[in-house]
Amino acid sequence: MVQDYTAQPIYMLMVAVGLLLLIACANVATLLLARANSRKKEISVRLAIGASRSRLIRQLLTESVLMSALGGLLGLVFANRGTQALIALISRANNGTMILDAGTDSRVLFFTFLVAMLVGILFGLAPALRASKADLLSVMKDNVPAVSDLRKEASPRRIAHRRASRCVGGAHDWCTLANFKSHNFGFDQRNLLTFGLNPIRAGYHDAWLVNLYTQLLDRIQVLPGVRAATLIQNAPFSGWSNKNSPVSVEGSAQTPSKSGMYWQGVGPDFFSTMGIPIVLGRGIQRTDTAASPKVAVVDETFTKKYFPGENPVGHRFSLSSKYDPANSYEIVGVVRPAELTDVNPGVHPKGYASYAQFPKTLGQMFFEVRAEGPPATIVSELRNAVHQADASLPLIALKTQAEETSEVLSFQGLLARLTTIFGLLALLLAMIGLYGTLAYAVTRKTHEIGIRMALGAKPTNVLGMVLRQGITLTLIGVAFGVVATFGATRLISSMIFGVSPYDPLTFVAVAAILSIVALLACYIPARRAMKVDPMVALRYE
């Protein structure tokens, strides 16, 4: 079964892009509301001289759609540059081995046009409807908007939960990457070289295939500079594994677990070569062939789940929803847990069987070779040993195990960098939106500020008033955002490691950063408000 470990992170990045779009749309909608509010008198005059409400709505929607279309065109320009940079990052993360065609085509252009039109209509409709409902008498008499309207326009709650979610996701990704790099995956990766063979393409099947692997293993083990060698069905972190096989234990009434176990076919001396300690019984041996009884080695996680408090050696189980004696395995050993499936460790029961006992289903295998010194010194000898056995067999994915791990972690690093970029963009958009709405609110309240200062209010009082309004609304928004993010973190819980999805330190740190950013966004309009000249403000319309 294929494990595509890149699919879920890519989906998460798509969600991040959607959140950024929503933040940008919320900013534009808020600014359009503010702009419509400033044009109340103009709209009221149009209505008074006979303009229909539908005509005004069409005019305002046209302006919104044009703005959205221009934004879409600029987005295509930036996306083209950003895509080139992203491909360069991915290529560097995979040592130039990944070829990705991400050019702009008719589908991309159509999707961009469709999104731009929908955004322009959906987020321009509310301001248009609101502006066209102007009360002619009140608007003609008074130009000063109500304080409640200003609060609605400047409210950051609409986008706080989205930016909090994006920032928390980025923080979790960086913590996960740091934990990955320091994590012990349960086996020794030093001086370990791995490569694959697929002799089926050369006509090998069944017993011939088993014999070929056995001969190659014997050749490799006696090469100069080789300490040990073994075989494994799926190379560590290659993204392939036999997962979630149901397990039924002999004599147990326990219902088979839906999660099952992870299953690998391995060769003799596998655990000693990989540096995985055996705690009970024995490992896989050369005598475990198709002619001998089927045996398996399980890890301690399997033992704790299916044989709590007892020795599992000698017991039997089958990989089926119901125990099948004819296709059962005898447990001959127990080993320490090791993560050999993918880079996202998890508490999964694991079992190992001899590859030689399954000649009918045998296919591609990977060699794991432990060198005495640097693995690069034995590469040519390995190639010669394989070509001497059969010159038509190419070596697949020849690299050190450390390189294999590094390549997988490089993808996690790329994901962390991208989520950080998205988080910073979310912060920037939120800061721009908050600054714009508060600056507009201060401008609309210039008359009120002038009256307060004429009656004796100090500039510091005005500064405090504006800051309190902005920070209070921001703190409410952050609180809503943190609560919403608790639910959103469940979506990324399977992609983070070594840190809880509900880690309080992460949430506190993100909330503090958002509050500081909001304070900076509020300070400039507040500073401008405290410098208002009362005489000028009293003449302000």
Side-chain angles (χ1 to χ4, degrees):
M1 178 173 147
V2 178
Q3 168 67 17
D4 187 1
Y5 61 87
T6 64
Q8 194 170 5
I10 289 175
Y11 291 148
M12 190 183 77
L13 290 177
M14 291 176 63
V15 172
V17 172
L19 291 176
L20 282 177
L21 178 62
L22 288 177
I23 294 173
C25 291
N27 280 350
V28 172
T30 303
L31 293 175
L32 286 175
L33 282 171
R35 185 169 181 269
N37 190 68
S38 66
R39 297 175 63 185
K40 278 185 177 181
K41 193 167 184 177
E42 172 198 341
I43 293 172
S44 299
V45 171
R46 288 173 177 266
L47 290 172
I49 61 177
S52 65
R53 186 184 176 198
S54 60
R55 181 182 180 87
L56 289 175
I57 291 176
R58 286 198 305 270
Q59 176 190 340
L60 295 175
L61 276 180
T62 301
E63 295 174 0
S64 174
V65 169
L66 285 175
M67 184 186 304
S68 180
L70 289 175
L73 290 175
L74 288 175
L76 284 175
V77 175
F78 283 106
N80 185 44
R81 298 295 183 183
T83 300
Q84 295 175 3
L86 180 60
I87 293 175
L89 282 174
I90 294 175
S91 180
R92 186 161 61 247
N94 291 274
N95 296 324
T97 59
M98 179 177 287
I99 300 176
L100 182 63
D101 182 12
T104 302
D105 56 16
S106 58
R107 293 172 299 176
V108 174
L109 293 175
F110 176 75
F111 179 77
T112 305
F113 172 78
L114 184 62
V115 170
M117 293 301 102
L118 288 177
V119 165
I121 294 172
L122 293 178
F123 288 88
L125 188 60
L129 291 174
R130 183 179 176 184
S132 64
K133 290 182 179 179
D135 185 350
L136 300 184
L137 185 59
S138 62
V139 171
M140 300 298 251
K141 285 184 177 181
D142 188 9
N143 288 325
V144 182
V147 176
S148 59
D149 291 337
L150 293 172
R151 289 181 181 270
K152 290 178 183 178
E153 291 164 8
S155 175
R157 282 183 295 177
R158 301 177 182 180
I159 55 177
H161 73 279
R162 300 186 185 101
R163 65 179 179 178
S165 177
R166 185 67 260 129
C167 293
V168 169
H172 277 143
D173 285 331
W174 276 110
C175 292
T176 296
L177 179 61
N179 291 325
F180 276 148
K181 291 182 176 180
S182 62
H183 180 66
N184 178 14
F185 291 97
F187 67 100
D188 187 2
Q189 301 186 45
R190 295 173 299 178
N191 299 335
L192 195 61
L193 193 69
T194 179
F195 67 92
L197 290 179
N198 192 1
I200 294 179
R201 297 177 180 177
Y204 290 89
H205 295 282
D206 301 344
W208 288 359
L209 195 55
V210 174
N211 291 334
L212 175 65
Y213 283 136
T214 302
Q215 293 175 14
L216 285 174
L217 195 58
D218 291 339
R219 287 174 179 267
I220 292 172
Q221 286 178 333
V222 297
L223 290 176
V226 174
R227 181 186 302 177
T230 188
L231 286 158
I232 183 172
Q233 184 178 6
N234 306 301
F237 311 141
S238 65
W240 289 78
S241 68
N242 298 316
K243 289 186 175 181
N244 297 328
S245 301
V247 176
S248 297
V249 178
E250 180 184 18
S252 175
Q254 184 180 13
T255 303
S257 174
K258 293 182 179 180
S259 60
M261 68 182 299
Y262 287 14
W263 187 251
Q264 284 272 29
V266 299
D269 306 319
F270 174 76
F271 301 105
S272 58
T273 302
M274 300 296 290
I276 302 174
I278 299 176
V279 295
L280 286 175
R282 65 174 179 87
I284 300 299
Q285 299 176 349
R286 290 179 176 270
T287 55
D288 298 321
T289 65
S292 62
K294 293 180 180 179
V295 298
V297 175
V298 298
D299 69 353
E300 290 179 318
T301 305
F302 181 96
T303 302
K304 293 176 182 178
K305 182 175 183 178
Y306 295 100
F307 299 96
E310 59 179 310
N311 187 345
V313 175
H315 289 271
R316 306 186 71 87
F317 69 92
S318 64
L319 299 176
S320 59
S321 57
K322 184 178 181 180
Y323 179 72
D324 182 8
N327 294 298
S328 62
Y329 300 83
E330 179 186 354
I331 300 176
V332 296
V334 178
V335 297
R336 299 280 187 191
E339 185 54 60
L340 298 166
T341 304
D342 53 49
V343 78
N344 292 292
V347 183
H348 304 290
K350 297 181 180 65
Y352 308 88
S354 172
Y355 78 94
Q357 293 190 326
F358 308 96
K360 296 292 184 181
T361 59
L362 196 59
Q364 176 176 286
M365 294 286 288
F366 286 85
F367 286 80
E368 295 284 343
V369 183
R370 177 80 62 186
E372 293 284 356
T377 60
I378 62 171
V379 170
S380 60
E381 286 81 359
L382 287 176
R383 292 186 184 275
N384 291 334
V386 174
H387 290 164
Q388 287 174 7
D390 190 333
S392 66
L393 296 177
L395 277 65
I396 303 172
L398 176 63
K399 64 186 70 174
T400 66
Q401 186 57 58
E403 289 174 342
E404 178 73 32
T405 307
S406 178
E407 287 181 8
V408 179
L409 290 179
S410 67
F411 180 81
Q412 299 292 335
L414 176 63
L415 176 64
R417 287 192 291 273
L418 289 177
T419 51
T420 300
I421 291 172
F422 285 137
L424 292 176
L425 286 175
L427 274 177
L428 179 61
L429 288 175
M431 188 173 182
I432 292 173
L434 185 60
Y435 166 78
T437 50
L438 282 179
Y440 174 75
V442 169
T443 301
R444 298 295 290 169
K445 295 176 71 173
T446 301
H447 189 76
E448 174 189 340
I449 293 172
I451 294 175
R452 288 176 179 268
M453 298 186 70
L455 294 177
K458 298 179 180 178
T460 53
N461 299 133
V462 175
L463 177 68
M465 178 189 69
V466 178
L467 284 180
R468 279 195 302 272
Q469 178 182 339
I471 293 301
T472 300
L473 292 174
T474 299
L475 290 178
I476 295 174
V478 169
F480 274 95
V482 169
V483 172
T485 305
F486 268 102
T489 50
R490 291 183 298 178
L491 301 176
I492 62 171
S493 59
S494 61
M495 293 183 289
I496 59 178
F497 168 67
V499 58
S500 169
Y502 309 107
D503 178 42
L505 182 61
T506 302
F507 279 85
V508 170
V510 170
I513 292 173
L514 293 177
S515 300
I516 293 173
V517 169
L519 179 62
L520 293 175
C522 296
Y523 179 75
I524 298 177
R527 182 81 175 175
R528 182 184 303 166
M530 67 182 293
K531 293 182 178 181
V532 171
D533 186 344
M535 296 302 296
V536 175
L538 290 175
R539 294 196 302 268
Y540 183 81
E541 185 178 68

